[in-house]
Amino acid sequence: MSGYVHVYTGDGKGKTTAALGLALRAAGAGWRVFFAQFAKPSGSSEFDALGRLADRITVRQFGLPEWIRPRAKSADCEAAAAGLAECARAITSRRYRLVVLDEANLGPMLGLFSVESLLELIDSRPDEVEIVVTGRWAHPRVLDRADLVTEMREVKHYYQRGVSARLGIEC
């Protein structure tokens, strides 16, 4: 079976959630999943749930415990580089059928890593491995490389009315 490259991007809510849903579906089908997350602080509820599926889904977070603003610091870049290296090993190991690179689209924009590094990672994919790349501001070259692109577009969001992230919904 051939694997494909998915990109979930845009300014709307739901990119990571869509990737999590696909990871859950893949695990339910007996696939092993590697879920790597860049550029987000740790501590979201979804990773507590995924921990219960550790026999099928490996979760790794590559970043510091705070948001990157406005550009990455050297420690952020070092964590991201270590993450890219671990993702490359996961992709080429053939142990995982699905590899999610959550928020990796932000990497080039934030200065965490180059778009060339992300493309090399995607291109290292054996034919049977499915890759999902999420995050706002997907680079045009990443979009060109993808087989499937979904853009989440914000139409309305309660955050604009001052509603903070809620446990179980946004975190």
Side-chain angles (χ1 to χ4, degrees), residues 9-104:
T9 192
D11 66 355
K13 181 177 173 355
K15 298 171 288 292
T16 297
T17 304
L20 287 163
L22 187 59
L24 184 60
R25 178 179 288 156
W31 292 19
R32 294 201 40 92
V33 177
F34 188 86
F35 198 105
Q37 191 172 64
F38 296 88
K40 275 188 180 173
S42 60
S44 292
S45 299
E46 61 262 25
F47 295 108
D48 294 338
L50 290 180
R52 297 179 185 132
L53 298 170
D55 61 321
R56 296 261 173 91
I57 301 176
T58 299
V59 178
R60 298 281 289 130
Q61 290 189 282
F62 303 106
L64 304 181
E66 66 270 348
W67 292 101
I68 298 170
R69 289 198 173 95
R71 296 278 296 169
K73 299 177 214 111
S74 61
D76 295 310
C77 296
E78 290 168 12
L84 287 179
E86 188 168 336
C87 290
R89 289 189 295 275
I91 289 167
T92 59
S93 73
R94 298 182 188 263
R95 180 175 183 204
Y96 301 98
R97 293 272 310 275
L98 173 64
V99 176
V100 176
L101 307 172
D102 188 42
E103 302 296 355

Side-chain angles (χ1 to χ4, degrees), residues 116-147:
E116 289 79 15
S117 296
L118 183 54
L119 292 169
E120 286 173 17
L121 189 60
I122 292 168
D123 290 343
S124 72
R125 173 184 69 84
D127 287 340
E128 69 276 6
V129 175
E130 200 92 6
I131 291 183
V132 175
V133 186
T134 75
R136 295 174 185 239
W137 307 298
H139 193 282
R141 291 175 59 196
V142 174
L143 296 175
D144 287 343
R145 193 75 99 245
D147 299 295

